[in-house]
Amino acid sequence: MSSETILTINNLTKKYGHITAVKDLSFTIEKGNVYGILGPNGSGKSTTLGIVLNVVNKTLGDFHWFDGNVSTHEALKRVGAIIERPNFYPYMTAIQNLKLVCKIKGVSQDKIEEKLKIVGLLERKNSKFRTYSLGMKQRLAIASALLNDPEILILDEPTNGLDPEGIHSIREIIKKIASQGTTILLASHLLDEVEKVCSHVVILRKGEKLYGGRVDEMVASHGFFELKSEANGELVQLLESHNAFGKITTEGDLITAFLNQPLKSNELNKLLFEKGIVLSHLVQRKESLEEQFLTITQNQSN
Ligand code: ADP
Ligand code: MG
């Protein structure tokens, strides 16, 4: 599979006085994927976005857009970004506001209706901005960022402050834009947002990358079995002697056996039955992204 690099970040560091907001951060963004920068408040997400968008000066390291042969200024004409609260003229309509954005950006006004349609605001195109809900304002900001047909759309905490319906609608719009081929980079402190929307994730803590890669490969975890039987003592012995299993814990009559390598539930059931153990309970589970996230962050010192 051929890939095209949109953004390359090498050993980026940003210091504000004695605070290191971003520390030796490296990652690349390939065309067509949806990337999440995930981390708690203050972990350096907005600073990272600010640096690559030329609104924050880096301290050390470097980054380049596309193949590295264009200036950042030129490259940013091919980027759409929303890193602040949507800010439009309250007494102007959506159309009027977007026409103004086109003039400022020097792009054609032909695509205004097409972009309003993508974000579901076409019917409200002649309503004044001040009559919009926060969710609609955010959707208008997305339409605005799409006016130059960007190759990548960058969003900083796009669902912050929205109600559940507003959150759902923004996530659906992001997925739709991604499915049409636009690369996405979004910063979020919400695990479930990254899990629902992103194919790839960079996890930050205190400005440092803890993990970078596919969301579905976040931890090389094979999951675990929850088991019960009439002969738990014998069962634990068998599991301990089987090389597929690592840690085994017992709580009351429930045994939890963690896998070191793949093993299917029907294989385990057959194997145990052949050894004379009849299970009364068999559940195979994988850790949720949340549990994996906690494992990753807890494995780091301080
Ligand atoms: P996030 O977006 O993940 O919440 P930020 O990038 O905003 O994190 O902040 C990272 C760290 O840098 C925090 O400790 C924050 O207080 C600090 N910081 C961010 N912007 C500034 C600034 N302009 N001046 C001083 N410190 C800042
Ligand atoms: Mg932020």
Side-chain angles (χ1 to χ4, degrees):
M1 204 178 83
S2 75
S3 66
E4 202 178 306
T5 303
I6 302 272
L7 175 65
T8 308
I9 295 179
N10 294 315
N11 309 104
L12 203 63
T13 294
K14 171 66 186 179
K15 293 184 181 180
Y16 291 107
H18 63 276
I19 294 170
T20 304
V22 176
K23 193 173 175 186
D24 201 27
L25 179 64
S26 303
F27 65 89
T28 58
I29 289 187
E30 305 291 340
K31 188 179 171 66
N33 295 324
V34 180
Y35 292 83
I37 303 183
L38 174 66
N41 290 334
S43 57
K45 304 181 296 295
S46 298
T47 301
T48 304
L49 297 184
I51 292 170
V52 300
L53 293 170
N54 252 4
V55 296
V56 173
N57 292 319
K58 64 188 166 71
T59 305
L60 284 170
D62 63 82
F63 68 90
H64 62 258
W65 285 98
F66 305 106
D67 58 8
N69 291 326
V70 281
S71 69
T72 300
H73 180 77
E74 277 306 305
L76 291 177
K77 292 178 182 167
R78 296 155 66 184
V79 174
I82 308 168
I83 54 170
E84 281 165 3
R85 295 262 98 179
N87 200 5
F88 294 95
Y89 287 96
Y91 291 96
M92 280 165 50
T93 66
I95 289 270
Q96 288 168 337
N97 270 296
L98 292 189
K99 279 186 177 169
L100 191 59
V101 173
C102 286
K103 276 184 193 151
I104 293 165
K105 284 190 178 176
V107 298
S108 149
Q109 301 187 354
D110 300 350
K111 299 214 163 129
I112 290 178
E113 299 226 343
E114 173 197 320
K115 304 308 180 191
L116 283 173
K117 185 157 186 283
I118 291 173
V119 301
L121 286 177
L122 199 51
E123 318 78 77
R124 293 294 303 274
K125 65 178 181 180
N126 292 318
S127 302
K128 289 186 167 61
F129 179 71
R130 66 173 171 83
T131 69
Y132 277 16
S133 69
L134 186 58
M136 293 166 77
K137 289 176 177 171
Q138 185 66 338
R139 275 146 59 195
L140 185 63
I142 294 176
S144 169
L146 292 174
L147 287 169
N148 58 337
D149 280 330
E151 287 170 62
I152 177 170
L153 179 64
I154 297 181
L155 305 149
D156 195 358
E157 309 263 10
T159 61
N160 260 14
L162 303 185
D163 60 16
E165 203 186 317
I167 291 172
H168 180 73
S169 128
I170 294 286
R171 288 177 184 167
E172 290 304 309
I173 288 165
I174 295 170
K175 285 195 237 175
K176 184 162 74 180
I177 294 166
S179 75
Q180 293 169 353
T182 307
T183 306
I184 309 266
L185 172 59
L186 74 89
S188 178
H189 67 281
L190 302 168
L191 266 167
D192 75 310
E193 180 150 291
V194 169
E195 196 168 19
K196 284 185 176 120
V197 177
C198 301
S199 58
H200 292 69
V201 64
V202 172
I203 299 179
L204 290 187
R205 203 190 50 158
K206 297 180 183 171
E208 278 188 274
K209 183 169 89 172
L210 299 185
Y211 173 82
R214 292 192 58 91
V215 169
D216 56 14
E217 290 171 3
M218 222 173 96
V219 161
S221 157
H222 299 290
F224 56 91
F225 284 104
E226 288 180 351
L227 306 164
K228 285 182 195 174
S229 79
E230 296 292 313
N232 269 359
E234 228 178 303
L235 175 53
V236 168
Q237 267 187 357
L238 262 170
L239 296 170
E240 279 172 348
S241 67
H242 194 293
N243 56 15
F245 291 99
K247 195 174 75 170
I248 294 159
T249 62
T250 308
E251 242 185 87
D253 63 345
L254 181 73
I255 297 166
T256 304
F258 292 86
L259 286 166
N260 289 331
Q261 59 191 62
L263 182 65
K264 289 190 179 126
S265 57
N266 56 347
E267 291 173 305
L268 178 67
N269 200 9
K270 184 164 178 282
L271 185 144
L272 293 174
F273 188 76
E274 283 166 1
K275 302 269 185 190
I277 293 176
V278 179
L279 294 170
S280 56
H281 176 91
L282 167 64
V283 175
Q284 186 166 21
R285 278 219 309 133
K286 227 182 145 132
E287 290 171 297
S288 68
L289 187 61
E290 186 171 20
E291 288 164 323
Q292 295 179 29
F293 179 73
L294 289 172
T295 307
I296 288 173
T297 50
Q298 280 163 7
N299 282 345
Q300 309 293 315
S301 53
N302 71 73

